[in-house]
Short mmCIF file of all heavy atoms in Angstrom, two decimals:
data_model
loop_
_atom_site.label_atom_id
_atom_site.label_comp_id
_atom_site.label_asym_id
_atom_site.label_seq_id
_atom_site.Cartn_x
_atom_site.Cartn_y
_atom_site.Cartn_z
N MET A 18 0.85 -1.17 0.00
CA MET A 18 0.00 0.00 0.00
C MET A 18 0.90 1.24 0.00
O MET A 18 1.83 1.33 0.79
CB MET A 18 -0.90 -0.03 1.23
CG MET A 18 -1.84 1.17 1.33
SD MET A 18 -3.01 1.06 2.69
CE MET A 18 -4.33 0.20 1.89
N THR A 19 0.61 2.17 -0.88
CA THR A 19 1.40 3.41 -0.96
C THR A 19 0.87 4.45 0.02
O THR A 19 -0.25 4.33 0.52
CB THR A 19 1.36 4.00 -2.38
OG1 THR A 19 0.02 4.46 -2.64
CG2 THR A 19 1.79 2.99 -3.43
N ILE A 20 1.66 5.48 0.23
CA ILE A 20 1.21 6.54 1.14
C ILE A 20 -0.05 7.22 0.60
O ILE A 20 -0.94 7.57 1.36
CB ILE A 20 2.33 7.56 1.43
CG1 ILE A 20 1.85 8.52 2.51
CG2 ILE A 20 2.72 8.33 0.19
CD1 ILE A 20 2.86 8.95 3.48
N ASP A 21 -0.13 7.37 -0.72
CA ASP A 21 -1.33 7.99 -1.29
C ASP A 21 -2.56 7.11 -1.09
O ASP A 21 -3.65 7.63 -0.87
CB ASP A 21 -1.12 8.31 -2.77
CG ASP A 21 -0.20 9.49 -2.97
OD1 ASP A 21 -0.39 10.52 -2.29
OD2 ASP A 21 0.73 9.40 -3.79
N GLU A 22 -2.40 5.81 -1.14
CA GLU A 22 -3.53 4.91 -0.87
C GLU A 22 -3.96 5.03 0.59
O GLU A 22 -5.16 5.05 0.89
CB GLU A 22 -3.15 3.47 -1.20
CG GLU A 22 -2.99 3.22 -2.69
CD GLU A 22 -2.39 1.87 -3.01
OE1 GLU A 22 -1.67 1.28 -2.15
OE2 GLU A 22 -2.62 1.40 -4.13
N MET A 23 -2.99 5.13 1.49
CA MET A 23 -3.34 5.30 2.91
C MET A 23 -4.00 6.64 3.17
O MET A 23 -4.99 6.72 3.88
CB MET A 23 -2.09 5.15 3.77
CG MET A 23 -1.58 3.74 3.86
SD MET A 23 -0.23 3.57 5.02
CE MET A 23 1.15 3.84 3.93
N LEU A 24 -3.44 7.69 2.58
CA LEU A 24 -4.01 9.03 2.80
C LEU A 24 -5.40 9.14 2.18
O LEU A 24 -6.24 9.88 2.70
CB LEU A 24 -3.08 10.10 2.22
CG LEU A 24 -1.78 10.30 2.98
CD1 LEU A 24 -0.86 11.23 2.21
CD2 LEU A 24 -2.04 10.83 4.38
N GLY A 25 -5.65 8.42 1.12
CA GLY A 25 -6.96 8.46 0.49
C GLY A 25 -8.06 7.95 1.40
O GLY A 25 -9.23 8.25 1.20
N GLN A 26 -7.70 7.20 2.42
CA GLN A 26 -8.66 6.65 3.38
C GLN A 26 -8.67 7.41 4.71
O GLN A 26 -9.46 7.10 5.59
CB GLN A 26 -8.33 5.19 3.66
CG GLN A 26 -8.34 4.32 2.43
CD GLN A 26 -7.82 2.91 2.72
OE1 GLN A 26 -7.63 2.52 3.86
NE2 GLN A 26 -7.60 2.16 1.67
N ALA A 27 -7.81 8.39 4.85
CA ALA A 27 -7.65 9.07 6.15
C ALA A 27 -8.51 10.33 6.26
O ALA A 27 -8.75 11.02 5.28
CB ALA A 27 -6.19 9.46 6.35
N LYS A 28 -8.94 10.60 7.48
CA LYS A 28 -9.63 11.85 7.79
C LYS A 28 -8.73 12.77 8.59
O LYS A 28 -8.89 13.98 8.56
CB LYS A 28 -10.91 11.56 8.56
CG LYS A 28 -11.94 10.83 7.73
CD LYS A 28 -13.20 10.60 8.48
CE LYS A 28 -14.15 9.83 7.57
NZ LYS A 28 -15.37 9.46 8.23
N SER A 29 -7.80 12.17 9.32
CA SER A 29 -6.85 12.96 10.09
C SER A 29 -5.52 12.19 10.15
O SER A 29 -5.49 10.97 10.05
CB SER A 29 -7.36 13.24 11.50
OG SER A 29 -7.54 12.04 12.21
N VAL A 30 -4.43 12.98 10.30
CA VAL A 30 -3.09 12.40 10.35
C VAL A 30 -2.29 13.14 11.42
O VAL A 30 -2.28 14.37 11.46
CB VAL A 30 -2.36 12.54 8.99
CG1 VAL A 30 -0.91 12.09 9.10
CG2 VAL A 30 -3.09 11.76 7.91
N ALA A 31 -1.63 12.38 12.29
CA ALA A 31 -0.72 12.94 13.28
C ALA A 31 0.70 12.58 12.86
O ALA A 31 0.98 11.42 12.58
CB ALA A 31 -1.02 12.39 14.67
N ILE A 32 1.57 13.58 12.80
CA ILE A 32 2.95 13.37 12.37
C ILE A 32 3.86 13.59 13.57
O ILE A 32 3.79 14.63 14.22
CB ILE A 32 3.31 14.35 11.24
CG1 ILE A 32 2.35 14.14 10.06
CG2 ILE A 32 4.77 14.19 10.82
CD1 ILE A 32 2.40 15.26 9.03
N PHE A 33 4.70 12.59 13.84
CA PHE A 33 5.65 12.65 14.96
C PHE A 33 7.06 12.40 14.44
O PHE A 33 7.24 11.78 13.41
CB PHE A 33 5.33 11.56 16.00
CG PHE A 33 3.99 11.71 16.66
CD1 PHE A 33 2.87 11.13 16.09
CD2 PHE A 33 3.87 12.43 17.83
CE1 PHE A 33 1.63 11.26 16.70
CE2 PHE A 33 2.63 12.56 18.44
CZ PHE A 33 1.51 11.97 17.88
N ALA A 34 8.05 12.84 15.19
CA ALA A 34 9.45 12.55 14.88
C ALA A 34 10.09 11.96 16.13
O ALA A 34 9.44 11.84 17.17
CB ALA A 34 10.18 13.82 14.45
N HIS A 35 11.36 11.65 16.03
CA HIS A 35 12.06 11.05 17.17
C HIS A 35 12.32 12.07 18.29
O HIS A 35 12.15 13.27 18.12
CB HIS A 35 13.36 10.39 16.72
CG HIS A 35 14.31 11.31 16.01
ND1 HIS A 35 15.03 12.29 16.65
CD2 HIS A 35 14.66 11.37 14.71
CE1 HIS A 35 15.79 12.92 15.77
NE2 HIS A 35 15.58 12.39 14.58
N VAL A 36 12.74 11.57 19.43
CA VAL A 36 13.07 12.40 20.58
C VAL A 36 14.22 13.33 20.22
O VAL A 36 15.12 12.96 19.47
CB VAL A 36 13.45 11.48 21.77
CG1 VAL A 36 13.88 12.31 22.97
CG2 VAL A 36 12.29 10.58 22.13
N HIS A 37 14.19 14.54 20.75
CA HIS A 37 15.21 15.55 20.46
C HIS A 37 15.39 15.74 18.96
O HIS A 37 16.46 15.44 18.41
CB HIS A 37 16.55 15.21 21.13
CG HIS A 37 16.46 14.95 22.58
ND1 HIS A 37 16.03 15.88 23.49
CD2 HIS A 37 16.73 13.84 23.29
CE1 HIS A 37 16.04 15.37 24.70
NE2 HIS A 37 16.46 14.12 24.61
N PRO A 38 14.34 16.21 18.27
CA PRO A 38 14.40 16.29 16.81
C PRO A 38 15.52 17.20 16.32
O PRO A 38 15.75 18.28 16.85
CB PRO A 38 13.03 16.84 16.43
CG PRO A 38 12.54 17.55 17.65
CD PRO A 38 13.11 16.79 18.81
N ASP A 39 16.20 16.72 15.29
CA ASP A 39 17.24 17.51 14.64
C ASP A 39 16.65 18.10 13.35
O ASP A 39 15.46 17.96 13.08
CB ASP A 39 18.47 16.64 14.36
CG ASP A 39 18.15 15.41 13.53
OD1 ASP A 39 17.01 15.27 13.03
OD2 ASP A 39 19.03 14.56 13.38
N GLY A 40 17.48 18.76 12.59
CA GLY A 40 17.00 19.41 11.37
C GLY A 40 16.36 18.45 10.38
O GLY A 40 15.37 18.78 9.73
N ASP A 41 16.93 17.24 10.26
CA ASP A 41 16.35 16.25 9.35
C ASP A 41 14.96 15.84 9.80
O ASP A 41 14.04 15.71 8.98
CB ASP A 41 17.24 15.01 9.26
CG ASP A 41 18.53 15.26 8.51
OD1 ASP A 41 18.58 16.21 7.71
OD2 ASP A 41 19.48 14.49 8.71
N ALA A 42 14.79 15.60 11.07
CA ALA A 42 13.50 15.18 11.60
C ALA A 42 12.46 16.29 11.45
O ALA A 42 11.31 16.03 11.06
CB ALA A 42 13.63 14.77 13.06
N ILE A 43 12.86 17.49 11.75
CA ILE A 43 11.94 18.63 11.64
C ILE A 43 11.56 18.86 10.18
O ILE A 43 10.38 18.99 9.83
CB ILE A 43 12.57 19.90 12.25
CG1 ILE A 43 12.84 19.69 13.73
CG2 ILE A 43 11.68 21.11 12.03
CD1 ILE A 43 13.81 20.68 14.34
N GLY A 44 12.56 18.88 9.31
CA GLY A 44 12.31 19.13 7.90
C GLY A 44 11.45 18.06 7.24
O GLY A 44 10.55 18.36 6.46
N SER A 45 11.72 16.79 7.55
CA SER A 45 10.93 15.73 6.93
C SER A 45 9.50 15.71 7.48
O SER A 45 8.55 15.44 6.73
CB SER A 45 11.60 14.37 7.11
OG SER A 45 11.76 14.06 8.47
N SER A 46 9.34 16.03 8.74
CA SER A 46 7.99 16.11 9.32
C SER A 46 7.19 17.23 8.66
O SER A 46 6.03 17.05 8.30
CB SER A 46 8.06 16.35 10.83
OG SER A 46 8.69 15.27 11.47
N LEU A 47 7.84 18.37 8.50
CA LEU A 47 7.15 19.50 7.85
C LEU A 47 6.93 19.24 6.36
O LEU A 47 5.92 19.68 5.80
CB LEU A 47 7.95 20.79 8.06
CG LEU A 47 7.94 21.32 9.49
CD1 LEU A 47 8.89 22.51 9.62
CD2 LEU A 47 6.53 21.70 9.93
N GLY A 48 7.84 18.52 5.73
CA GLY A 48 7.66 18.17 4.32
C GLY A 48 6.44 17.27 4.12
O GLY A 48 5.65 17.48 3.20
N LEU A 49 6.29 16.28 5.00
CA LEU A 49 5.11 15.42 4.92
C LEU A 49 3.85 16.21 5.21
O LEU A 49 2.84 16.04 4.52
CB LEU A 49 5.24 14.25 5.90
CG LEU A 49 4.06 13.29 5.97
CD1 LEU A 49 3.76 12.68 4.59
CD2 LEU A 49 4.32 12.21 7.00
N TYR A 50 3.90 17.08 6.19
CA TYR A 50 2.76 17.94 6.52
C TYR A 50 2.36 18.77 5.30
O TYR A 50 1.19 18.83 4.93
CB TYR A 50 3.13 18.85 7.69
CG TYR A 50 2.12 19.91 8.01
CD1 TYR A 50 0.96 19.59 8.71
CD2 TYR A 50 2.32 21.24 7.63
CE1 TYR A 50 0.01 20.57 9.01
CE2 TYR A 50 1.38 22.21 7.94
CZ TYR A 50 0.23 21.87 8.63
OH TYR A 50 -0.70 22.83 8.92
N ARG A 51 3.32 19.39 4.64
CA ARG A 51 3.04 20.23 3.47
C ARG A 51 2.48 19.39 2.32
O ARG A 51 1.56 19.80 1.62
CB ARG A 51 4.31 20.97 3.05
CG ARG A 51 4.23 21.81 1.82
CD ARG A 51 3.11 22.84 1.72
NE ARG A 51 2.79 23.54 2.95
CZ ARG A 51 1.61 24.16 3.15
NH1 ARG A 51 0.68 24.18 2.24
NH2 ARG A 51 1.38 24.77 4.29
N TYR A 52 3.02 18.18 2.12
CA TYR A 52 2.52 17.29 1.07
C TYR A 52 1.04 16.99 1.30
O TYR A 52 0.22 17.05 0.38
CB TYR A 52 3.33 15.99 1.04
CG TYR A 52 2.82 15.01 0.01
CD1 TYR A 52 3.18 15.13 -1.33
CD2 TYR A 52 1.96 13.97 0.38
CE1 TYR A 52 2.70 14.25 -2.28
CE2 TYR A 52 1.49 13.09 -0.57
CZ TYR A 52 1.85 13.24 -1.90
OH TYR A 52 1.35 12.36 -2.84
N ILE A 53 0.70 16.67 2.54
CA ILE A 53 -0.69 16.35 2.86
C ILE A 53 -1.57 17.58 2.66
O ILE A 53 -2.64 17.51 2.05
CB ILE A 53 -0.82 15.81 4.30
CG1 ILE A 53 -0.12 14.45 4.39
CG2 ILE A 53 -2.28 15.69 4.72
CD1 ILE A 53 0.07 13.94 5.81
N ARG A 54 -1.14 18.73 3.15
CA ARG A 54 -1.93 19.96 3.03
C ARG A 54 -2.15 20.34 1.57
O ARG A 54 -3.23 20.78 1.19
CB ARG A 54 -1.26 21.11 3.77
CG ARG A 54 -1.07 20.89 5.25
CD ARG A 54 -2.31 21.09 6.05
NE ARG A 54 -2.67 22.49 5.92
CZ ARG A 54 -3.88 22.97 6.11
NH1 ARG A 54 -4.83 22.17 6.48
NH2 ARG A 54 -4.14 24.23 5.96
N ASP A 55 -1.12 20.17 0.74
CA ASP A 55 -1.23 20.55 -0.68
C ASP A 55 -2.07 19.56 -1.49
O ASP A 55 -2.78 19.96 -2.40
CB ASP A 55 0.16 20.64 -1.32
CG ASP A 55 0.95 21.86 -0.87
OD1 ASP A 55 0.37 22.76 -0.23
OD2 ASP A 55 2.17 21.90 -1.15
N ASN A 56 -1.97 18.27 -1.17
CA ASN A 56 -2.61 17.25 -1.98
C ASN A 56 -3.89 16.67 -1.40
O ASN A 56 -4.68 16.08 -2.13
CB ASN A 56 -1.62 16.12 -2.25
CG ASN A 56 -0.46 16.59 -3.10
OD1 ASN A 56 -0.61 16.77 -4.30
ND2 ASN A 56 0.68 16.81 -2.48
N TYR A 57 -4.08 16.84 -0.11
CA TYR A 57 -5.26 16.32 0.58
C TYR A 57 -5.81 17.36 1.56
O TYR A 57 -5.80 17.15 2.77
CB TYR A 57 -4.91 15.02 1.33
CG TYR A 57 -4.43 13.92 0.43
CD1 TYR A 57 -3.07 13.77 0.16
CD2 TYR A 57 -5.32 13.04 -0.16
CE1 TYR A 57 -2.62 12.77 -0.69
CE2 TYR A 57 -4.88 12.03 -1.01
CZ TYR A 57 -3.53 11.91 -1.27
OH TYR A 57 -3.08 10.92 -2.11
N PRO A 58 -6.30 18.48 1.05
CA PRO A 58 -6.74 19.56 1.94
C PRO A 58 -7.89 19.17 2.87
O PRO A 58 -8.11 19.83 3.89
CB PRO A 58 -7.14 20.68 0.99
CG PRO A 58 -7.38 20.01 -0.32
CD PRO A 58 -6.49 18.80 -0.35
N GLU A 59 -8.57 18.09 2.55
CA GLU A 59 -9.68 17.65 3.40
C GLU A 59 -9.21 16.90 4.65
O GLU A 59 -9.98 16.69 5.59
CB GLU A 59 -10.65 16.77 2.59
CG GLU A 59 -10.10 15.40 2.20
CD GLU A 59 -9.18 15.38 0.98
OE1 GLU A 59 -8.82 16.43 0.43
OE2 GLU A 59 -8.80 14.27 0.60
N ILE A 60 -7.94 16.51 4.68
CA ILE A 60 -7.39 15.80 5.84
C ILE A 60 -6.90 16.80 6.88
O ILE A 60 -6.21 17.75 6.56
CB ILE A 60 -6.22 14.88 5.41
CG1 ILE A 60 -6.73 13.77 4.50
CG2 ILE A 60 -5.52 14.29 6.63
CD1 ILE A 60 -5.63 12.87 3.95
N CYS A 61 -7.27 16.55 8.12
CA CYS A 61 -6.76 17.36 9.23
C CYS A 61 -5.40 16.79 9.64
O CYS A 61 -5.33 15.70 10.21
CB CYS A 61 -7.73 17.30 10.40
SG CYS A 61 -7.14 18.16 11.87
N ALA A 62 -4.33 17.50 9.28
CA ALA A 62 -2.97 17.04 9.59
C ALA A 62 -2.36 17.92 10.67
O ALA A 62 -2.52 19.15 10.64
CB ALA A 62 -2.11 17.09 8.33
N LYS A 63 -1.68 17.30 11.62
CA LYS A 63 -0.98 18.03 12.68
C LYS A 63 0.39 17.42 12.90
O LYS A 63 0.57 16.22 12.78
CB LYS A 63 -1.78 17.98 13.98
CG LYS A 63 -3.10 18.72 13.89
CD LYS A 63 -3.72 18.92 15.22
CE LYS A 63 -4.99 19.73 15.03
NZ LYS A 63 -5.58 20.13 16.29
N VAL A 64 1.35 18.30 13.24
CA VAL A 64 2.72 17.88 13.51
C VAL A 64 2.99 18.07 15.00
O VAL A 64 2.76 19.16 15.54
CB VAL A 64 3.74 18.71 12.70
CG1 VAL A 64 5.16 18.22 12.97
CG2 VAL A 64 3.43 18.65 11.22
N PHE A 65 3.48 17.03 15.65
CA PHE A 65 3.80 17.07 17.07
C PHE A 65 5.28 16.77 17.26
O PHE A 65 5.74 15.68 16.93
CB PHE A 65 2.96 16.04 17.84
CG PHE A 65 1.48 16.26 17.74
CD1 PHE A 65 0.74 15.61 16.76
CD2 PHE A 65 0.84 17.11 18.61
CE1 PHE A 65 -0.63 15.80 16.66
CE2 PHE A 65 -0.53 17.32 18.52
CZ PHE A 65 -1.26 16.67 17.54
N LEU A 66 6.03 17.75 17.75
CA LEU A 66 7.45 17.59 18.01
C LEU A 66 7.80 18.15 19.38
O LEU A 66 7.13 19.07 19.86
CB LEU A 66 8.29 18.32 16.95
CG LEU A 66 8.13 17.92 15.50
CD1 LEU A 66 8.99 18.81 14.61
CD2 LEU A 66 8.51 16.47 15.29
N GLU A 67 8.87 17.63 19.94
CA GLU A 67 9.41 18.23 21.16
C GLU A 67 9.98 19.60 20.81
O GLU A 67 10.16 19.93 19.63
CB GLU A 67 10.54 17.36 21.72
CG GLU A 67 10.11 16.09 22.35
CD GLU A 67 11.28 15.36 23.00
OE1 GLU A 67 12.45 15.69 22.71
OE2 GLU A 67 11.02 14.45 23.78
N ALA A 68 10.32 20.36 21.83
CA ALA A 68 10.95 21.66 21.61
C ALA A 68 12.19 21.48 20.75
O ALA A 68 12.90 20.48 20.87
CB ALA A 68 11.32 22.28 22.96
N PHE A 69 12.43 22.44 19.88
CA PHE A 69 13.58 22.36 18.97
C PHE A 69 14.23 23.73 18.87
O PHE A 69 13.62 24.74 19.21
CB PHE A 69 13.15 21.82 17.60
CG PHE A 69 12.06 22.61 16.94
CD1 PHE A 69 12.35 23.67 16.09
CD2 PHE A 69 10.73 22.28 17.15
CE1 PHE A 69 11.35 24.40 15.48
CE2 PHE A 69 9.72 23.00 16.54
CZ PHE A 69 10.03 24.06 15.70
N PRO A 70 15.48 23.79 18.41
CA PRO A 70 16.21 25.06 18.35
C PRO A 70 15.50 26.11 17.48
O PRO A 70 14.91 25.79 16.44
CB PRO A 70 17.55 24.67 17.73
CG PRO A 70 17.70 23.22 18.03
CD PRO A 70 16.31 22.66 17.99
N ASP A 71 15.58 27.34 17.92
CA ASP A 71 14.94 28.45 17.19
C ASP A 71 15.44 28.60 15.77
O ASP A 71 14.72 29.10 14.91
CB ASP A 71 15.15 29.77 17.94
CG ASP A 71 14.27 29.87 19.18
OD1 ASP A 71 13.25 29.16 19.25
OD2 ASP A 71 14.61 30.67 20.07
N LYS A 72 16.66 28.15 15.48
CA LYS A 72 17.19 28.31 14.12
C LYS A 72 16.35 27.57 13.08
O LYS A 72 16.42 27.89 11.90
CB LYS A 72 18.65 27.87 14.05
CG LYS A 72 18.88 26.38 14.27
CD LYS A 72 20.36 26.05 14.25
CE LYS A 72 20.62 24.58 14.53
NZ LYS A 72 22.05 24.29 14.55
N PHE A 73 15.53 26.61 13.52
CA PHE A 73 14.68 25.88 12.58
C PHE A 73 13.30 26.53 12.41
O PHE A 73 12.50 26.07 11.61
CB PHE A 73 14.53 24.42 13.02
CG PHE A 73 15.81 23.67 12.99
CD1 PHE A 73 16.39 23.21 14.15
CD2 PHE A 73 16.47 23.43 11.79
CE1 PHE A 73 17.59 22.51 14.13
CE2 PHE A 73 17.68 22.74 11.75
CZ PHE A 73 18.24 22.29 12.92
N ARG A 74 13.05 27.61 13.13
CA ARG A 74 11.76 28.29 13.02
C ARG A 74 11.58 28.99 11.68
O ARG A 74 10.49 29.42 11.34
CB ARG A 74 11.59 29.28 14.16
CG ARG A 74 11.67 28.61 15.50
CD ARG A 74 10.44 28.85 16.34
NE ARG A 74 10.53 28.05 17.55
CZ ARG A 74 9.71 27.04 17.83
NH1 ARG A 74 8.77 26.72 17.00
NH2 ARG A 74 9.85 26.37 18.94
N ILE A 75 12.65 29.09 10.90
CA ILE A 75 12.56 29.72 9.58
C ILE A 75 11.92 28.78 8.56
O ILE A 75 11.51 29.22 7.50
CB ILE A 75 13.94 30.17 9.05
CG1 ILE A 75 14.86 28.97 8.83
CG2 ILE A 75 14.57 31.18 9.98
CD1 ILE A 75 16.09 29.28 8.02
N LEU A 76 11.82 27.49 8.89
CA LEU A 76 11.25 26.53 7.96
C LEU A 76 9.76 26.80 7.74
O LEU A 76 9.04 27.15 8.68
CB LEU A 76 11.44 25.10 8.48
CG LEU A 76 12.88 24.63 8.58
CD1 LEU A 76 12.95 23.27 9.29
CD2 LEU A 76 13.52 24.54 7.21
N ARG A 77 9.34 26.61 6.50
CA ARG A 77 7.94 26.82 6.15
C ARG A 77 7.06 25.92 7.03
O ARG A 77 7.36 24.74 7.22
CB ARG A 77 7.72 26.48 4.69
CG ARG A 77 6.31 26.70 4.23
CD ARG A 77 6.18 26.41 2.76
NE ARG A 77 4.81 26.62 2.34
CZ ARG A 77 4.34 26.32 1.15
NH1 ARG A 77 5.14 25.80 0.25
NH2 ARG A 77 3.09 26.53 0.84
N ASP A 78 6.02 26.49 7.57
CA ASP A 78 5.04 25.81 8.41
C ASP A 78 5.54 25.47 9.82
O ASP A 78 4.85 24.78 10.56
CB ASP A 78 4.49 24.54 7.75
CG ASP A 78 3.74 24.83 6.46
OD1 ASP A 78 2.98 25.82 6.43
OD2 ASP A 78 3.91 24.09 5.49
N ALA A 79 6.73 25.94 10.20
CA ALA A 79 7.23 25.66 11.56
C ALA A 79 6.27 26.17 12.62
O ALA A 79 6.16 25.56 13.70
CB ALA A 79 8.61 26.29 11.75
N GLU A 80 5.52 27.21 12.32
CA GLU A 80 4.56 27.74 13.27
C GLU A 80 3.38 26.79 13.51
O GLU A 80 2.62 26.93 14.47
CB GLU A 80 4.03 29.12 12.83
CG GLU A 80 3.12 29.09 11.62
CD GLU A 80 3.81 28.92 10.27
OE1 GLU A 80 5.05 28.93 10.20
OE2 GLU A 80 3.08 28.76 9.28
N SER A 81 3.23 25.78 12.65
CA SER A 81 2.14 24.80 12.79
C SER A 81 2.49 23.67 13.73
O SER A 81 1.62 22.87 14.09
CB SER A 81 1.81 24.20 11.41
OG SER A 81 1.43 25.21 10.51
N ILE A 82 3.74 23.57 14.15
CA ILE A 82 4.17 22.47 15.02
C ILE A 82 3.57 22.65 16.41
O ILE A 82 3.60 23.73 16.98
CB ILE A 82 5.71 22.41 15.10
CG1 ILE A 82 6.29 22.08 13.73
CG2 ILE A 82 6.15 21.38 16.14
CD1 ILE A 82 7.79 22.16 13.65
N GLU A 83 3.04 21.57 16.91
CA GLU A 83 2.44 21.58 18.26
C GLU A 83 3.35 20.84 19.22
O GLU A 83 4.11 20.00 18.85
CB GLU A 83 1.07 20.94 18.22
CG GLU A 83 0.16 21.71 17.27
CD GLU A 83 -1.29 21.37 17.47
OE1 GLU A 83 -1.68 20.97 18.57
OE2 GLU A 83 -2.03 21.52 16.50
#
């Protein structure tokens, strides 16, 4: 099953990364979030991460992280 097949059946998606997220974890989480928002606007997507360094707040959609 592909991610698009899974998302086609979803109403909501929670995105998590590992403990003490680094730039890769933050960026990939936000990338998935943006993919869902752009391609599946009907899905309620949320990103949940631990506190992370302010230098990553420049990333698109970083303000959406809970």
Side-chain angles (χ1 to χ4, degrees):
M18 180 175 271
T19 68
I20 187 143
D21 287 313
E22 290 170 336
M23 288 186 269
L24 290 172
Q26 301 173 10
K28 293 182 181 175
S29 62
V30 173
I32 301 166
F33 296 89
H35 57 73
V36 177
H37 307 299
D39 56 9
D41 289 338
I43 298 163
S45 60
S46 297
L47 290 173
L49 178 58
Y50 172 78
R51 177 52 39 201
Y52 178 82
I53 293 169
R54 300 282 296 158
D55 288 348
N56 295 285
Y57 299 91
E59 70 280 5
I60 294 176
C61 175
K63 294 192 177 188
V64 182
F65 299 93
L66 300 177
E67 287 186 344
F69 56 91
D71 286 338
K72 66 183 178 182
F73 296 114
R74 301 237 174 246
I75 64 167
L76 295 173
R77 181 177 180 188
D78 297 319
E80 71 283 353
S81 301
I82 295 173
E83 300 196 26

